[in-house]
């Protein structure tokens, strides 16, 4: 355990302060992704069933009012399934930007060393180059880990909404 | 002309001054008499002077003779003293020759001891351990500078100090010392000859070698800029460690030079100022937009709360968006379905711009900030290449300054863009959820309210 913490500490130290925002972004992104998965596993079906039972219990399933209420139900399902997905997408897009920020701060370190020492010794610059490459890698990792969910979650949402809409049967007799 | 005027004025002035003296002079004869009387009087005075000079001359001659005898006396004295000096010098030389002869082989040994003491003293003066034992180099200094033969204890002191230095270099010790910038004696912890920091607080110190004449200056001073971060916490860890424990601790292998460079490192604000005009513009835009974005989020949050509250209440209120849409229905409740739809759509259309207000501006600035950073990078690089054109590429220091300026703007652009993107995404998703409520659910909410109130009598029922 102490080994893991020590390794993490030395990693954070080598990568510079930008790794902390990247860690926060990864944490937030995966919190939201897990929240979405938990929603589909736990809360989605009861809500769908409740709304469907409410619809099936209605006697009037063809008037303007009934259709308005049906639209509202579908919209509620859509809103519940799509919530936080935009935020996940933003976080996935943000991670490489943070990596780029780390690259730039690392490069600034490299040129700081040049400015202090006045020499272009490769050994002196290596520390800064480390700082430049590690956040880039971390940002890429963060983005790649979330990329799959950022494309699949909107699809799930659309599919669930369409399925729910199919479940709410409209009495066609009125037309 | 001017000259002439002033001359005239002078002449008139002198004429006026002479006027009282020449009051009795009425003719040329009187003037002549007057002149003759004056010159006779002058003649008498001159005669008197000549007599005075002649009597003085004899006195001066006597004085001169006295001085001459005194000079000859002193010269004789000087010759005597010089002879004695010469005799003494001869005696010294003889004694020195006697000493050298007596020393024999040992003369070289003492010379070596002296030069070693001198060299070692300068080495010790540069060592941090001298701050703990400020008097240890005194014996070495005495041996190096005096002509007298070093005593046995002096000779022993040389190698004893050497051994002591070797032993102290492996110790971590706490001791009390004067620190410039802190009052009184301060407890200082020293890690070998590498670093020193205060025992309370772990503030790093720099060591200044003693100056030749100013002996009272404290040898330790607080570093102008503390390294902070991991280095500081390592120092704290060392202070908290028990004896015999093995821990990671800070060591400056350059013996202070590395820690001093922390002063050269610019602080966050200085760093941001390196971005120049473009950097300032980016920061200003970012600050304004961030404040605007936070206000927008607060406003959207309040709107959403009001809409959620309206969903639960049956009485529509004019103070929130959903209430206004419901009121639009109330106004058209007796019309047919198409009219109701139209009225609702119209009411929703009026609400949408209020929800989206400002969102596009935040998105625009979030897009502009990195572009401005790129602009700063390019202008910085242009400056660098101009410097290279003028001074040549030989000095990396000249180039490094410009390049780091160029990078700072990129960094500022990203620092501004990233929070703005988060703010925009957050505010946009809030606005979208309210908008979805209005566009897709308002008709349903209205319909539910109508049903719950049991007012089904209106001709809205069938499509």
């Amino acid at each position: 355990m102490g080994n893991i913490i020590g390794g993490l500490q030395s990693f954070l130290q080598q990568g510079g302060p930008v790794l902390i925002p990247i860690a926060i972004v990864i944490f937030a992104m995966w919190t939201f992704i897990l929240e979405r998965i938990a929603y589909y596993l736990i809360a989605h079906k009861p809500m769908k069933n409740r709304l469907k039972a409410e619809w099936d219990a209605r006697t009037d399933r063809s008037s303007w009012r009934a259709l308005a209420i049906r639209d509202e139900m579908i919209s509620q399902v859509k809103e519940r399934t799509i919530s936080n997905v935009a935020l996940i997408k933003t976080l996935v897009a943000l991670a490489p930007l943070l990596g780029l920020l780390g690259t730039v701060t690392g490069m600034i370190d490299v040129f700081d060393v040049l400015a202090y020492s006045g020499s272009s010794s490769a050994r002196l610059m290596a520390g800064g180059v480390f700082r430049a490459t590690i956040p880039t890698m971390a940002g890429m990792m963060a983005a790649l880990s979330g990329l799959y969910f950022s494309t699949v979650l909107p699809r799930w949402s659309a599919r669930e909404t369409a399925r729910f809409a199919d479940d709410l049967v409209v009495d066609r007799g009125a037309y | 002309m001017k000259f002439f005027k002033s001359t005239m004025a002078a002449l008139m002035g002198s004429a006026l001054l002479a006027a009282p003296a020449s009051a009795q002079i009425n003719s040329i004869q009187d003037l002549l008499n007057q002149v003759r009387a004056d010159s006779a009087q002058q003649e008498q005075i001159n005669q008197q002077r000549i007599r005075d000079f002649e009597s003085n001359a004899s006195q001066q001659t006597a004085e001169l003779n006295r001085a001459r005898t005194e000079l000859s006396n002193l010269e004789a004295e000087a010759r005597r003293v010089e002879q004695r000096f010469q005799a003494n010098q001869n005696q010294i030389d003889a004694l020195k020759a006697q000493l050298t002869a007596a020393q024999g082989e040992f003369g070289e040994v003492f010379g070596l001891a002296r030069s070693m003491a001198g060299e070692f003293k300068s080495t010790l003066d540069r060592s941090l351990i001298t701050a703990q034992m400020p008097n240890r180099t005194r014996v070495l200094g005495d041996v190096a500078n005096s002509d007298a033969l070093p005593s046995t204890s002096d000779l022993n002191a040389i190698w004893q100090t050497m051994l002591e230095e070797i032993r102290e270099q492996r110790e971590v010790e706490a001791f009390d010392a004067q620190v410039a910038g802190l009052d009184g004696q301060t407890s200082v912890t020293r890690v070998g000859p590498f670093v020193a920091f205060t025992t309370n607080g772990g503030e790093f110190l720099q060591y200044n070698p003693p100056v030749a004449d100013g002996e009272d200056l404290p040898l330790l001073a607080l570093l102008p800029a503390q390294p902070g971060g991991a280095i500081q916490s390592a120092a704290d860890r060392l202070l908290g460690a028990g004896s015999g424990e093995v821990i990671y601790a800070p060591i400056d292998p350059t013996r202070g030079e590395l820690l001093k460079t922390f002063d050269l490192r610019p602080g966050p604000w200085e760093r941001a100022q390196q971005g120049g005009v473009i950097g300032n513009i980016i920061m200003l835009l970012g600050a304004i937009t961030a404040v605007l974005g936070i206000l927008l989020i607060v406003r959207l949050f309040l709107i959403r709360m009001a809409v959620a509250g309206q969903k639960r209440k049956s009485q529509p209120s004019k103070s929130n968006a959903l209430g206004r849409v419901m009121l639009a229905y109330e106004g058209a409740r007796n019309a047919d379905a198409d009219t109701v739809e139209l009225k609702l759509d119209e009411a929703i259309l009026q609400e949408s711009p209020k929800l989206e207000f400002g969102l596009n501006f935040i998105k625009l600035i979030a897009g502009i900030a990195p572009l401005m950073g790129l602009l700063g990078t390019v202008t910085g690089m242009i400056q660098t290449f101009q410097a290279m054109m003028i001074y040549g590429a030989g000095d990396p220091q000249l180039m490094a300054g410009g390049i780091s300026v160029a990078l700072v703007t990129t960094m500022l652009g990203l620092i501004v863009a990233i929070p703005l993107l988060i703010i925009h995404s957050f505010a946009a998703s809030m606005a979208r959820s309210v908008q979805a409520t209005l566009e897709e659910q308002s008709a349903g909410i209205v319909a539910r309210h109508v049903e719950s109130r049991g007012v089904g009598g209106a001709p809205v029922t069938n499509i």
Side-chain angles (χ1 to χ4, degrees), chain A residues 54-74:
Chain A
E54 196 186 314
W55 175 254
D56 288 343
R58 288 179 67 91
T59 49
D60 162 27
R61 278 184 293 209
S62 58
S63 68
W64 175 82
R65 279 198 308 240
L67 289 180
I69 287 171
R70 182 176 177 270
D71 283 348
E72 186 205 349
M73 287 173 171
I74 294 169

Side-chain angles (χ1 to χ4, degrees), chain A residues 54 58 72 75 112 115-116, chain B residues 265 271 397 440 448 451:
Chain A
E54 196 186 314
R58 288 179 67 91
E72 186 205 349
S75 160
D112 268 358
Y116 299 156
Chain B
R265 200 196 192 102
R271 171 75 77 207
Q397 226 157 348
E440 296 164 7
R448 267 179 214 274
E451 282 186 351

Side-chain angles (χ1 to χ4, degrees), chain B residues 330-409:
Chain B
E330 296 281 335
R333 61 188 304 169
N334 290 324
D336 59 303
D338 286 346
T339 319
V340 171
E341 287 267 21
L342 269 174
K343 284 277 175 193
L344 285 181
D345 284 349
E346 195 186 333
I348 291 162
L349 212 62
Q350 277 179 350
E351 297 297 330
S352 282
K354 291 184 204 165
L355 292 170
E356 286 184 348
F357 168 78
L359 287 179
N360 278 329
F361 180 71
I362 296 179
K363 197 171 189 180
L364 179 74
I365 300 298
I368 281 179
L371 285 182
M372 295 272 289
L374 185 60
L375 177 66
T377 308
V378 174
T379 53
M381 290 310 282
I382 289 172
Q383 282 172 14
T384 306
F385 283 113
Q386 270 175 350
M388 274 167 70
M389 218 159 67
I390 298 166
Y391 304 109
D395 189 358
Q397 226 157 348
L398 267 174
M399 289 157 55
I403 293 169
S404 97
V405 168
L407 288 171
V408 166
T409 50

Side-chain angles (χ1 to χ4, degrees), chain A residues 68-113:
Chain A
I69 287 171
R70 182 176 177 270
D71 283 348
E72 186 205 349
M73 287 173 171
I74 294 169
S75 160
Q76 271 178 10
V77 169
K78 186 180 160 197
E79 208 184 309
R80 292 291 288 276
T81 52
I82 201 79
S83 77
N84 288 340
V85 169
L87 218 51
I88 291 171
K89 276 185 151 180
T90 310
L91 290 176
V92 167
L94 222 55
L97 275 186
L98 278 169
L100 183 59
L101 180 62
T103 311
V104 174
T105 51
M107 292 311 285
I108 287 175
D109 274 4
V110 170
F111 287 109
D112 268 358
V113 169

Side-chain angles (χ1 to χ4, degrees), chain B residues 7-84:
Chain B
T7 321
M8 282 295 288
L11 280 175
M12 282 167 77
S14 60
L16 279 171
L17 281 172
S22 57
Q24 303 94 336
I25 296 167
N26 295 324
S27 66
I28 296 292
Q29 189 57 46
D30 282 351
L31 181 63
L32 186 63
N33 288 342
Q34 181 76 30
V35 168
R36 273 184 186 151
D38 281 357
S39 65
Q41 200 180 350
Q42 199 66 40
E43 183 69 19
Q44 273 179 354
I45 290 170
N46 284 345
Q47 289 297 327
Q48 182 63 35
R49 269 190 189 161
I50 289 166
R51 280 195 297 278
D52 284 353
F53 276 130
E54 277 166 355
S55 69
N56 272 349
S58 61
Q59 268 177 26
Q60 292 298 334
T61 321
E63 197 90 349
L64 179 65
N65 289 336
R66 223 170 22 250
R68 275 189 181 140
T69 49
E70 200 172 336
L71 176 66
S72 62
N73 284 346
L74 285 176
E75 273 172 353
E77 175 87 20
R79 269 196 299 281
R80 238 184 355 266
V81 169
E82 202 173 334
Q83 275 167 5
R84 205 164 73 209

Side-chain angles (χ1 to χ4, degrees), chain B residues 157-363:
Chain B
I158 297 176
W159 64 262
Q160 276 165 1
T161 326
M162 280 180 178
L163 280 183
E164 189 184 58
E165 170 77 8
I166 292 168
R167 189 180 64 84
E168 290 295 335
Q169 284 193 353
R170 58 183 281 271
E171 299 284 333
V172 177
E173 269 182 43
F175 58 95
D176 286 338
Q178 282 273 336
V179 175
L182 296 175
D183 287 336
Q185 294 279 323
T186 314
S187 179
V188 174
T189 302
R190 162 181 75 75
V191 182
F194 301 111
V195 285
F197 39 84
T198 57
T199 308
N200 306 319
E203 284 177 294
F204 282 86
L205 304 171
Q206 73 178 51
Y207 171 72
N208 303 313
V211 203
D213 38 359
E215 280 159 17
D216 286 341
L217 288 174
L219 299 177
L220 294 169
L222 282 179
L223 271 183
Q226 296 291 325
I231 303 175
Q232 201 87 48
S233 63
D236 290 340
R237 214 159 42 230
L238 176 65
L239 290 173
S243 85
E245 210 176 321
V246 179
I247 51 158
Y248 287 106
I251 275 187
D252 183 356
T254 59
R255 305 190 176 200
E257 292 306 314
L258 218 51
L259 283 173
K260 275 182 201 163
T261 57
F262 278 100
D263 192 30
L264 297 172
R265 200 196 192 102
W269 179 245
E270 282 173 82
R271 171 75 77 207
Q273 283 302 313
Q274 281 182 356
V277 180
I278 293 173
N280 283 337
I281 294 172
I282 294 173
M283 283 193 286
L284 189 70
L285 274 180
I288 291 172
T289 319
V291 171
L292 179 75
I294 288 163
L295 288 179
L296 276 183
I297 286 177
V298 170
R299 179 169 163 272
L300 283 169
F301 184 72
L302 292 177
I303 288 177
R304 205 165 71 163
M305 293 279 284
V307 168
Q310 181 65 58
K311 268 192 202 173
R312 287 191 295 272
K313 279 184 291 186
S314 58
Q315 198 58 42
S317 149
K318 238 180 130 79
S319 63
N320 67 73
L322 184 58
R324 283 193 287 273
V325 173
M326 284 166 81
L327 278 174
Y329 168 76
E330 296 281 335
R333 61 188 304 169
N334 290 324
D336 59 303
D338 286 346
T339 319
V340 171
E341 287 267 21
L342 269 174
K343 284 277 175 193
L344 285 181
D345 284 349
E346 195 186 333
I348 291 162
L349 212 62
Q350 277 179 350
E351 297 297 330
S352 282
K354 291 184 204 165
L355 292 170
E356 286 184 348
F357 168 78
L359 287 179
N360 278 329
F361 180 71
I362 296 179
K363 197 171 189 180

